[in-house]
Amino acid sequence: MSFKAFLKKLGDLVYPANIKCVCCGRELDETADFCKPCYKALPLNRRYCKYCGAPLSGSVCYSCSNGERSFCKARSPFMYTGNIVNMVRKFKYDGAKYLFEPLSKFMADRYLKSHFDCDIIVPVPVHKKRLKERGYNQAEELAKGVSKLVHVPIENSAVTRVKFSVSQTELSGEEREKNVLDSFAMQNSEDIVDKNVLVIDDVMTTGSTVDEVSKLLLENGANKVYVLTLAHSCLDKDKNEVSALLS
Ligand SMILES: [Zn+2]
Ligand SMILES: [Zn+2]
């Protein structure tokens, strides 16, 4: 091997050449999760409802001012649009597990900035049939990344999904609420009694899923429930005014 080739090889060891943007696959010159264009295109959720975290230019969304939420507060670092939609599809349907760590960093950041004070994390469970199909629970994978960064342990045995429901994304707001009704059951309440629980999911749409889980946790002795999702939808019928303000 020539000296030049040796140096190149050494350089490749110190600076591995094969670092790719997790979003578009473009090769990167430096260690980063995203290339610059993909990073710039991330739909950060900057202005949102102070209760449910829905993208909004006002302070409280229509749903929160009209209905009761069982959780205290929900936050999402991203709006469910643009390249986030593609990445969610990739980890939900294409087995792209490499996306969980880079995306959970944004969730941990939003958790810390929101000053949530939680004792335990409960990822929204998937039905065991879905788990078998997909090989993992995406909410749990995101929760693992958050847990590592904010030092809050995960409790996986508290809640279980008892109803195999059709995908929420295909349904209207009202259908969604019916779809999640009695979807979950308490399995082990020991570890959540008197605790502040952080419920983690991938995408929040109407909030009916996380609402159902937090009701169950509160009925079984949890002190308070907070919610953290990767993204919050801004296209739902129930939040017409939200979509209008954003368009
Ligand atoms: Zn990229
Ligand atoms: Zn709201």
Side-chain angles (χ1 to χ4, degrees):
M1 190 193 293
S2 71
F3 185 61
K4 208 174 160 190
F6 170 75
L7 276 185
K8 163 100 178 55
K9 195 153 193 184
L10 190 70
D12 284 349
L13 281 176
V14 183
Y15 307 103
N18 214 13
I19 307 169
K20 290 178 176 168
C21 168
V22 294
C23 182
C24 72
R26 188 193 315 231
E27 282 202 14
L28 303 171
D29 310 332
E30 52 185 359
T31 313
D33 295 328
F34 297 94
C35 70
K36 282 193 182 118
C38 287
Y39 187 81
K40 268 194 185 159
L42 287 169
L44 284 174
N45 188 11
R46 289 198 173 88
R47 302 183 69 185
Y48 43 83
C49 167
K50 62 180 180 180
Y51 296 112
C52 73
L56 188 75
S57 59
S59 64
V60 182
C61 78
Y62 179 81
S63 304
C64 286
S65 56
N66 282 286
E68 289 213 355
R69 302 281 199 186
S70 53
F71 50 84
C72 300
K73 270 178 186 177
R75 291 291 180 266
S76 320
F78 297 115
M79 298 185 279
Y80 189 58
T81 181
N83 58 13
I84 283 293
V85 175
N86 303 336
M87 287 189 272
V88 168
R89 285 193 186 137
K90 273 193 205 165
F91 69 60
K92 264 179 127 157
Y93 309 111
D94 281 341
K97 288 183 81 172
Y98 56 87
L99 286 166
F100 292 124
E101 209 205 339
L103 292 174
S104 61
K105 287 180 194 169
F106 289 88
M107 295 171 74
D109 182 61
R110 187 55 61 101
Y111 172 89
L112 295 170
K113 284 184 178 143
S114 305
H115 305 289
F116 284 0
D117 184 17
C118 297
D119 308 299
I120 208 144
I121 295 175
V122 171
V124 170
V126 290
H127 194 272
K128 56 178 189 274
K129 204 166 138 192
R130 183 86 69 205
L131 193 64
K132 214 172 162 194
E133 229 170 64
R134 196 173 285 153
Y136 52 82
N137 169 7
Q138 69 279 4
E140 188 187 334
E141 296 301 316
L142 290 167
K144 280 182 197 164
V146 176
S147 169
K148 226 191 276 174
L149 292 166
V150 306
H151 309 293
V152 177
I154 297 176
E155 172 50 59
N156 257 326
S157 63
V159 184
T160 177
R161 196 164 198 138
V162 288
K163 202 165 95 183
F164 187 76
S165 24
V166 280
S167 179
Q168 290 284 86
T169 42
E170 322 274 308
L171 305 170
S172 73
E174 209 179 304
E175 284 172 327
R176 273 197 185 104
E177 260 163 57
K178 271 195 209 137
N179 191 35
V180 296
L181 205 66
D182 302 320
S183 283
F184 303 95
M186 205 67 197
Q187 192 169 244
N188 171 20
S189 60
E190 252 168 60
D191 295 320
I192 58 116
V193 173
D194 296 329
K195 297 276 169 65
N196 287 352
V197 182
L198 179 68
V199 171
I200 288 190
D201 204 2
D202 53 355
V203 182
M204 186 161 159
T205 308
T206 57
S208 47
T209 304
V210 290
D211 214 41
E212 184 82 6
V213 174
S214 50
K215 253 185 229 155
L216 198 60
L217 291 165
L218 291 164
E219 280 165 14
N220 284 277
N223 181 39
K224 278 179 181 173
V225 177
Y226 295 85
V227 175
L228 181 66
T229 67
L230 173 69
H232 198 127
S233 163
C234 41
L235 300 165
D236 199 86
K237 258 192 222 153
D238 292 355
K239 295 192 179 92
N240 270 340
E241 51 151 23
V242 182
S243 310
L245 288 164
L246 284 164
S247 57

